[in-house]
Amino acid sequence: QSSDFLFKFLVIGNAGTGKSCLLHQFIEKKFKEDSNHTIGVEFGSKIINVGGKYVKLQIWDTAGQERFRSVTRSYYRGAAGALLVYDITSRETYNALTNWLTDARMLASQNIVIILCGNKKDLDADREVTFLEASRFAQENELMFLETSALTGENVEEAFVQCARKILNKIESGELDPERMGSGIQYGDAALRQLRSPRRAQAQSAQECGC
Amino acid sequence: RRLYPDMAFFQRPTDYPCLLILDPQNEFETLRKRVEQTTLKSQTVARNRSGVTNVSSPLKTTPNSLSEYEVLPNGCEAHWEVVERILFIYAKLNPGIAYVQGMNEIVGPLYYTFATDPNSEWKEHAEADTFFCFTNLMSEIRDNFIKSLDDSQCGITYKMEKVYSTLKEKDVELYLKLQEQNIKPQFFAFRWLTLLLSQEFLLPDVIRIWDSLFADDKRFDFLLLVCCAMLTLIRDQLLEGDFTLNMRLLQDYPISDVHLILKKAKELQDSK
């Protein structure tokens, strides 16, 4: 299937918040029962339709444990969007958000579009972080915000789609330039076919580099 | 994908439970109780082993929907509890490293080998033997688990680069292709090397690979060659694929015949 754009996405946040399960739910549409911890990085991709445009998401699911931080940093470069994940039943994972945010903005790009995901929404009885508190945090830090459940699938697709939509809007408004190096955005193969003209040759060679 | 085929093995009761701990007359607390009650770092051990979540607050009861991880009745303990104990004690004795995700993948094949030995005497002492071997193995590979060493000569970054520099010697066309696609060794070889390939193959195959690794004089140099062999064996696919396809191939390695891989690695070793 061909796509109009390709966005590089990151999934970041503390260990055990459900990052890999979110990715699995998004791609496979089911909950990963026997999820293993992530060592380094896992990789997934999916084409979604956002307002009539086909966007290929190239998703980098990173290891959350502190030990892996220096290695996972090498995955950030040129990411256009990120899911920043915490666990609503663990304040510790919420408290770590500022660090993750700093890393993302510093290492990926200042313009990276981030959606905050309060995962494990299904475990409401064990909740330690309220919706209100997290949405204030999101507002202060210019993040989008959703509470998600990788178990039930609630808001999982939405999180990815909302993030992609925001990036598309920014492209349309000219705030983001897909042709700028390191934007984390590339033209997809469909767009390239339409746009094939000498001026676009550069964009095409960027596509081939595949980053 | 990449789970032990014998995962169920780790949930079964052991043949030789540790009587000292399980004897109700005794005042020893079992680890399963302790990890629930304390705020020790080791808590992550418990949660990670069960593969569900690592919950940071000790007082919380996480509804454990996975019945296979249910704690066995008194007087029995599951194999995973033994493994957990080994990791717990290792973490306590080596506070500088403590527990890092992935160590369970290192201890797992060792314990499995001892605990399924046909000789019952070996089986009976599986826990102690595994601990001994695990400690020795870790003394050779622990640098992989230490973040501050990542960029040093003995750290994992250096080893990952070594995979590429070896590949460059053996198959420059493939090397250039991966470079061109900006596929860094960090994107796949980190897991390959840190876990000694234990997440890439099925358990019996992992044991077969480890046999060759441990038998080689330069064990972990041979590991680099095994990684190179894995790359060169799928070179045609890699040369044709785009970034996404290639990342998938490398993250979910397509060849399951480890003999083929070991043979190739040996060839690379001899072709020096």
Side-chain angles (χ1 to χ4, degrees):
Chain A
Q1 198 181 348
S2 55
S3 57
D4 299 301
F5 288 102
L6 188 153
F7 297 165
K8 175 172 172 177
F9 267 36
L10 295 171
V11 188
I12 52 176
N14 270 20
T17 52
K19 297 179 293 299
S20 301
C21 290
L22 282 172
L23 177 62
H24 191 81
Q25 175 65 257
F26 175 60
I27 289 178
E28 306 287 336
K29 297 253 170 268
K30 54 183 182 239
F31 182 61
K32 199 175 178 193
E33 287 271 348
D34 44 12
S35 182
N36 224 326
H37 42 230
T38 307
I39 307 295
V41 73
E42 303 263 341
F43 184 85
S45 76
K46 186 172 176 173
I47 295 177
I48 53 172
N49 187 330
V50 186
K53 291 251 187 326
Y54 286 99
V55 178
K56 182 170 180 176
L57 299 182
Q58 186 187 85
I59 306 157
W60 299 65
D61 166 30
T62 64
Q65 201 181 22
E66 173 60 27
R67 185 263 165 271
F68 301 109
R69 210 62 84 83
S70 57
V71 188
T72 48
R73 283 195 176 113
S74 66
Y75 311 133
Y76 282 52
R77 214 169 68 99
L83 270 71
L84 173 57
V85 187
Y86 70 97
D87 169 358
I88 65 154
T89 73
S90 160
R91 177 148 296 270
E92 191 189 331
T93 66
Y94 176 79
N95 291 342
L97 291 175
T98 316
N99 284 334
W100 288 108
L101 205 54
T102 314
D103 264 14
R105 295 215 160 115
M106 199 170 68
L107 300 164
S109 129
Q110 273 301 323
N111 302 317
I112 186 170
V113 174
I114 302 173
I115 182 159
L116 180 65
C117 297
N119 195 31
K120 308 194 190 175
K121 188 174 193 289
D122 51 287
L123 295 178
D124 199 55
D126 294 325
R127 179 188 285 277
E128 284 184 2
V129 182
T130 65
F131 183 87
L132 191 67
E133 184 180 4
S135 54
R136 272 204 203 111
F137 176 86
Q139 214 166 24
E140 282 162 17
N141 292 282
E142 293 173 58
L143 312 170
M144 291 179 286
F145 173 53
L146 277 177
E147 283 193 343
T148 57
S149 167
L151 180 70
T152 66
E154 186 177 353
N155 279 344
V156 174
E157 173 119 15
E158 283 78 351
F160 287 93
V161 171
Q162 276 194 24
C163 196
R165 185 177 298 127
K166 178 98 170 251
I167 296 169
L168 273 179
N169 288 344
K170 284 193 168 188
I171 293 171
E172 275 159 22
S173 70
E175 207 178 320
L176 279 175
D177 179 8
E179 287 185 54
R180 194 179 56 80
M181 280 291 284
S183 66
I185 303 160
Q186 291 159 22
Y187 289 108
D189 38 13
L192 283 172
R193 268 196 302 278
Q194 287 167 14
L195 299 171
R196 192 152 295 177
S197 66
R199 202 177 67 81
R200 296 289 174 187
Q202 266 182 321
Q204 193 183 4
S205 67
Q207 162 72 16
E208 280 164 5
C209 111
C211 46
Chain B
R1 180 167 90 94
R2 284 205 322 271
L3 275 181
Y4 293 134
D6 277 303
M7 201 58 194
F9 163 81
F10 288 94
Q11 277 118 38
R12 282 202 291 271
T14 58
D15 295 336
Y16 302 96
C18 179
L19 296 172
L20 202 61
I21 290 177
L22 292 174
D23 185 351
Q25 301 296 315
N26 249 313
E27 295 195 350
F28 293 108
E29 271 182 304
T30 61
L31 198 53
R32 47 171 104 135
K33 273 194 199 146
R34 285 185 60 180
V35 290
E36 278 168 28
Q37 288 165 358
T38 62
T39 50
L40 293 173
K41 262 241 149 113
S42 58
Q43 234 218 330
T44 33
V45 178
R47 297 305 181 185
N48 287 333
R49 265 249 42 97
S50 68
V52 186
T53 52
N54 19 7
V55 178
S56 48
S57 162
L59 298 171
K60 196 156 35 214
T61 49
T62 307
N64 203 335
S65 59
L66 304 176
S67 56
E68 64 260 49
Y69 291 104
E70 260 168 27
V71 171
L72 295 168
N74 280 340
C76 290
E77 54 182 357
H79 287 291
W80 69 263
E81 291 184 88
V82 180
V83 172
E84 181 183 73
R85 199 154 54 215
I86 293 169
L87 290 168
F88 178 81
I89 292 168
Y90 183 82
K92 285 276 141 193
L93 291 175
N94 299 275
I97 315 177
Y99 174 74
V100 176
Q101 290 179 346
M103 284 183 186
N104 58 330
E105 313 276 351
I106 299 293
V107 78
L110 294 176
Y111 177 74
Y112 179 87
T113 307
F114 284 117
T116 56
D117 198 288
N119 182 331
S120 62
E121 216 178 310
W122 282 80
K123 232 193 237 184
E124 190 176 345
H125 299 289
E127 181 171 359
D129 288 341
T130 306
F131 183 78
F132 179 81
C133 289
F134 177 66
T135 306
N136 278 312
L137 177 57
M138 283 302 287
S139 74
E140 295 188 45
I141 62 168
R142 67 178 162 220
D143 293 350
N144 294 346
F145 290 93
I146 302 174
K147 192 173 86 169
S148 55
L149 294 178
D150 277 354
D151 295 319
S152 74
Q153 277 280 308
C154 50
I156 189 78
T157 310
Y158 179 75
K159 286 179 198 156
M160 289 189 287
E161 274 156 20
K162 200 84 193 287
V163 173
Y164 266 27
S165 59
T166 314
L167 179 69
K168 192 177 171 185
E169 271 171 40
K170 307 288 181 192
D171 188 343
V172 69
E173 189 187 357
L174 180 58
Y175 167 80
L176 289 173
K177 175 76 181 180
L178 294 176
Q179 286 285 348
E180 179 201 312
Q181 291 191 335
N182 207 8
I183 295 179
K184 299 200 169 89
Q186 281 89 331
F187 302 170
F188 61 97
F190 181 76
R191 191 177 67 215
W192 290 9
L193 295 171
T194 307
L195 305 185
L196 310 179
L197 297 170
S198 61
Q199 262 194 12
E200 316 308 314
F201 301 98
L202 301 177
L203 185 54
D205 297 327
V206 170
I207 291 171
R208 176 64 193 87
I209 292 177
W210 284 21
D211 213 29
S212 291
L213 284 183
F214 299 159
D216 198 276
D217 300 339
K218 296 184 192 152
R219 3 187 104 156
F220 302 108
D221 286 340
F222 188 64
L223 176 63
L224 299 179
L225 291 167
V226 176
C227 293
C228 269
M230 287 169 67
L231 292 171
T232 53
L233 284 171
I234 55 169
R235 73 184 302 274
D236 293 345
Q237 284 161 279
L238 289 171
L239 288 173
E240 266 184 30
D242 63 6
F243 178 86
T244 307
L245 274 173
N246 286 349
M247 276 302 292
R248 274 214 202 115
L249 279 173
L250 296 169
Q251 287 264 334
D252 194 1
Y253 192 73
I255 298 175
S256 55
D257 182 355
V258 292
H259 290 273
L260 190 71
I261 295 165
L262 291 170
K263 217 175 110 194
K264 184 77 189 174
K266 197 77 194 137
E267 258 175 57
L268 294 175
Q269 191 177 39
D270 296 338
S271 74
K272 263 184 184 167

